[in-house]
Amino acid sequence: MDHKLSPELEELRRTVEQFAHDVVAPKIGDFYERHEFPYEIVREMGRMGLFGLPFPEEYGGMGGDYFALGVALEELARVDSSVAITLEAGVSLGAMPLHLFGTEEQKREWLPRLCSGEILGAFGLTEPDGGSDAGATRTTARLDEATNEWVINGTKCFITNSGTDITGLVTVTAVTGRKPDGRPLISSIIVPSGTPGFTVAAPYSKVGWNASDTRELSFADVRVPAANLLGELGRGYAQFLRILDEGRVAIAALGTGLAQGCVDESVAYAKERHAFGRPIGANQAIQFKIADMEMKAHTARLAWRDAASRLVAGEPFKKEAALAKLYSSTVAVDNARDATQVHGGYGFMNEYPVARMWRDAKILEIGEGTSEVQRMLIARELGLVG
């Protein structure tokens, strides 16, 4: 595998890097402290084509792939994770299910606006009584044959991008029947925002990702056309497993960006902060700590790029995606903790980016599959069953 970026991807990386430093960095701290969604930043990301990176040009996309998305996510997360997760969820969870499983009519209706950032999509999977056990879905959808509509009832929680002013749809998983052995048949259904009976709760009060949108959703006799079924009836479980496998590659890139951002901030601070008559970066203890941080970020980058390359090539990548997600989330937490230590008391002050990074890192070990779930997946891929 050649880990050197192509000229096109290097140009993308530099463009997003400049955007992150010139546009995101000066503003995002205020949005973060106000728990406010950064609409103008998101609109600019849309104008740049970031939401359309891995989608075909015929649907308004940029004709790229998941590798290109990962490059963009890493550069954004080096500066801020709220903005990065808004892009990741908008692409991997909001638009990708339509691209992979939608009918031609569904793609034509939704993808151009999703690719342009005019609207955001969300993916309603997690429920209050079913986190890692996603197969324990309790939301139901029955087909009313008289009206040819799905009638949806249930609750979803922790859903990113689901309640913004520009959210256009949420794809929800719901039980649509039972198999002969009694196990649920789970299907995916598109629910446009504003559909009667579809209620979006107030934003959560979160530890981190405070400039991103995360909500609880409830469905009370929500009716949508039968044509809003996404993919085959009863294939929703298989669909979201595919979506989560791919999403883990994107989350690994995001985690790598956060880990590298901690290095960036620590190096800059260690050069300018003086103690006992010299920069603290002249002390071997600080040098070794930052060197270890760089080692971890570099290795995480190799891991997500390996997984992304396999995905793009059409090769098996489940194990590599789980490895990359597990490792990058672990080192993101490690580097955030160490960057805070390098900064000392200032690292505990919210005006410094590392304080934001510390608050943002932990969720990476939980969202889109906990670290424990990643270890289960890796063990299964190694043939360890039981």
Side-chain angles (χ1 to χ4, degrees), residues 297-312:
H298 177 77
T299 306
R301 182 173 302 107
L302 296 179
W304 86 251
R305 288 187 178 182
D306 176 53
S309 295
R310 293 171 186 270
L311 189 165
V312 170

Side-chain angles (χ1 to χ4, degrees), residues 7 119 129 167 175 191 232 256 260 372 375 386:
I119 62 172
D129 293 325
T167 300
V175 176
V191 181
E232 297 179 34
T256 300
Q260 188 65 59
E372 291 77 14
R375 290 183 170 91

